[in-house]
Amino acid sequence: MSGSRRPRSSVRAEDIRPASATFDLAVAATSMHWMDLDIILPIIHRSLTADGRLLVWRNVFGDAAAEVTPFRLEIERIVQRRGIPRAGRPEDADATVKKITDSGLFTIERLRHYRWTIDLTTEQVRALFGTFSDWTPKEVDRAASAVDARGGAVSESYTSWLIAASPSP
């Protein structure tokens, strides 16, 4: 039927059951914090070959070592208005390493940190923040307005981290 929408798939990573020793690589790019690690880590472990690797990548808004910008302060105010703190510490690489190693299923080979800065326009902030599943359209509008109030462009520092882990026997 023209103009009708197909329903979105609701399959979660926790629901998949790949064959054992199927993959050489599993990558979680800015997604591991949304998963139930007690369920997903055993699935990943079973699905990796003996020489396989798990890579966990995360981008974190705001570099703690960089000067706090007025834009970052406004984003923090927007998030604080929710009144609901985020569970756990998903931006903390060490906390994620601990969760992975505490499973007993993986050995951490490397943890690397990257620092970077990006210039963003109002529309780029609107497009980027609009992809955040825990942001409402009203919050995205507030973030975009914060950029407009600063002349239509901001420069913000980020950190990213990458964990490389190998399956334990």
Side-chain angles (χ1 to χ4, degrees), residues 5-166:
R5 289 183 161 191
R6 290 177 35 172
R8 286 186 172 184
S9 171
S10 62
V11 175
R12 302 171 321 137
E14 293 89 340
D15 299 330
I16 63 170
R17 297 294 180 259
S20 295
T22 304
F23 301 104
D24 293 322
L25 181 64
V27 178
T30 311
S31 61
M32 188 67 84
H33 61 287
W34 295 116
M35 298 178 202
D36 183 334
L37 298 188
D38 292 334
I39 295 172
I40 199 64
L41 289 174
I43 293 170
I44 294 169
H45 185 267
R46 275 191 308 275
S47 69
L48 286 173
T49 62
D51 293 329
R53 295 294 177 270
L54 166 63
L55 300 180
V56 181
W57 176 266
R58 173 78 177 174
N59 293 320
V60 180
F61 176 76
D63 179 346
E67 180 180 335
V68 177
T69 66
F71 177 67
R72 189 181 336 164
L73 288 173
E74 184 57 32
I75 297 305
E76 289 173 5
R77 282 191 284 273
I78 292 167
V79 172
Q80 287 172 353
R81 283 185 200 135
R82 293 178 186 158
I84 303 168
R86 188 179 248 181
R89 298 180 358 237
E91 290 85 10
D92 184 343
D94 293 329
T96 303
V97 163
K98 183 170 177 13
K99 287 180 183 178
I100 293 170
T101 56
D102 283 356
S103 73
L105 299 171
F106 294 91
T107 301
I108 304 301
E109 294 181 336
R110 272 184 226 98
L111 168 58
R112 296 218 172 140
H113 293 270
Y114 305 90
R115 299 177 68 203
W116 51 285
T117 302
I118 188 169
D119 296 325
L120 297 164
T121 66
T122 301
E123 286 312 308
Q124 288 170 320
V125 164
R126 185 179 303 285
L128 175 62
F129 283 56
T131 68
F132 301 162
S133 59
D134 58 345
W135 277 65
T136 67
K138 192 176 274 189
E139 290 171 328
V140 172
D141 288 343
R142 287 186 189 127
S145 293
V147 179
D148 278 341
R150 287 156 183 81
V154 294
S155 183
E156 190 55 60
S157 296
Y158 280 73
T159 56
S160 296
W161 44 260
L162 175 64
I163 300 168
S166 58

